[in-house]
Amino acid sequence: MRAARLISLVLLLQNRESMTGAELARELEVSERTIYRDILALNAAGIPVYADRGRAGGYRLLGGYRTRLTGLSRTEADALFLSGLPGPASEMGLADVVTTAQLKVLAALPSGLRDASTRVERRFHLDVPGWFRTADPPAWLSELAEAVWQDRTVEFRYRRRDREVTRTVEPYGLVCKGGAWYLVARVGPGHRTYRVDRMTEVTVGAETFSRDDSFELAGYWAAQAERFVREMLRDEITVRLSPAGRYALRYVTEPPAVREAEANAGEPDEHGWVVTRLPVESPDVAYGQLLSLGPEVEVLEPPELRDRLRSAARRLAGLYA
């Protein structure tokens, strides 16, 4: 445990140049007294850590000192190559870059760990696209990735229902969700999300922009995805679900709708059926979703949706009469 902490301490100082004892203690979740003892241990081991006194002081590594990757364990080496599984990087045109980086890491690893790349390739494979989707990346993905790396403005034409619009944006990041790529960009004072396969033309500008360092792509995406689903569920219906229907509901609608349906569910009857309110995008969308549950669901409200499903059940019964 202590050996891992000492390695982490050296890597922190290597990456951030200078940190106070309080900052190191907070990062490593130990006391400042423990940090002081660790610094003494590193000095005794020949690692040149020294303390700058004064208001802007802190612990530093003696100029130019760099640790080598010989401290990696078997699990850490495997995890390193697991993070570089092929797929999204190739779609963005970075396959050669990833390969070169992996070769450099392999060259720095001890001989006993140089099979990490092969071990991972034989055990794990990331298949990014969802079922029933093509695996071909969008036409403009590599150009957008280049713009994101270089902080260059982008102008593109974008399909919106029955028309196309032109937008000039500052591309902050790319997100791959279920095999579909999305561009997150700053437009004016805020950020917006655009689906890449709806872009019909992309021009990367020569002008660069200043990135807001406080913007966190993962946090933004998580909040946007949750908000998108909740905004999409604008209607509500009342249903009865069998135990099997209750279980299968997760496969036909979004997780927020399932969670709310579970929270709204009444007590099960003697056969295990429950009555609950289910958020839906619209009665039309709910019709298609609930058809797939067959006899495991009964719509109680609204009457129009109940009538549609009753009619569908009669037609289905006629087919099998």
Side-chain angles (χ1 to χ4, degrees):
M1 183 71 178
R2 191 189 185 199
R5 188 176 69 244
L6 291 175
I7 293 171
S8 297
L9 195 157
V10 173
L11 292 174
L12 282 170
L13 293 179
Q14 183 174 299
N15 291 329
R16 303 188 191 179
E17 294 187 0
S18 176
M19 296 181 71
T20 65
E23 289 171 336
L24 286 166
R26 189 164 54 249
E27 191 77 29
L28 298 174
E29 299 181 348
V30 295
S31 67
E32 289 189 52
R33 179 176 289 275
T34 298
I35 293 297
Y36 177 71
R37 289 197 296 265
D38 287 349
I39 295 295
L40 292 179
L42 288 172
N43 283 327
I47 297 176
V49 182
Y50 71 97
D52 268 343
R53 305 292 181 184
R55 189 173 181 180
Y59 291 106
R60 298 174 181 269
L61 288 169
L62 194 61
Y65 180 85
R66 308 290 291 179
T67 186
R68 299 173 66 84
L69 290 176
T70 52
L72 283 176
S73 67
R74 158 63 66 191
T75 304
E76 290 166 339
D78 289 344
L80 180 65
F81 286 95
L82 182 63
S83 66
L85 286 171
S90 296
E91 293 186 0
M92 289 189 292
L94 299 175
D96 292 342
V97 177
V98 170
T99 300
T100 301
Q102 288 182 343
L103 288 173
K104 289 182 178 179
V105 172
L106 280 172
L109 286 173
S111 58
L113 301 181
R114 289 178 186 167
D115 65 339
S117 177
T118 305
R119 279 169 52 85
V120 170
E121 288 175 0
R122 289 175 178 172
R123 288 165 172 80
F124 300 99
H125 175 68
L126 181 64
D127 187 6
V128 176
W131 293 107
F132 314 115
R133 290 182 180 273
T134 61
D136 298 330
W140 305 102
L141 184 59
S142 59
E143 287 83 356
L144 291 171
E146 188 70 18
V148 168
W149 280 117
Q150 297 181 3
D151 294 339
R152 294 189 179 277
T153 58
V154 168
E155 181 179 282
F156 58 83
R157 290 188 61 77
Y158 190 74
R159 292 195 308 272
R160 294 186 60 183
R161 295 186 177 88
D162 59 344
R163 63 191 179 97
E164 285 191 359
V165 296
T166 301
R167 294 286 183 266
T168 300
V169 303
E170 297 174 353
Y172 264 52
L174 287 161
V175 176
C176 184
K177 169 71 171 178
W181 284 91
Y182 298 85
L183 175 71
V184 176
R186 184 168 66 185
V187 185
H191 296 82
R192 298 195 62 179
T193 304
Y194 302 91
R195 186 157 166 155
V196 176
D197 59 9
R198 292 181 184 170
M199 297 179 183
T200 59
E201 185 178 340
V202 172
T203 302
V204 179
E207 181 183 354
T208 60
F209 63 90
S210 298
R211 184 178 287 266
D212 178 5
D213 291 333
S214 66
F215 178 79
E216 184 194 7
L217 181 61
Y220 167 85
W221 178 260
Q224 286 293 105
E226 181 76 12
R227 189 175 74 179
F228 172 76
V229 172
R230 292 199 172 276
E231 288 179 351
M232 187 173 64
L233 301 173
R234 296 183 295 268
D235 217 329
E236 188 177 82
I237 62 175
T238 304
V239 297
R240 285 181 69 236
L241 289 165
S242 72
R246 194 172 177 179
Y247 176 81
L249 189 64
R250 71 192 71 182
Y251 301 111
V252 301
T253 189
E254 297 292 338
V258 176
R259 289 195 297 268
E260 198 161 329
E262 285 294 327
N264 294 333
E267 290 297 320
D269 63 16
E270 64 273 21
H271 302 294
W273 287 65
V274 296
V275 176
T276 187
R277 299 188 307 277
L278 173 67
V280 296
E281 184 175 348
S282 69
D284 285 341
V285 173
Y287 172 77
Q289 291 172 330
L290 298 182
L291 271 179
S292 65
L293 296 182
E296 307 303 332
V297 62
E298 177 189 3
V299 173
L300 304 179
E301 296 286 345
E304 297 82 8
L305 179 58
R306 181 178 174 87
D307 289 343
R308 285 187 67 184
L309 285 165
R310 180 191 293 116
S311 175
R314 286 173 177 164
R315 296 200 311 271
L316 188 60
L319 290 174
Y320 288 96

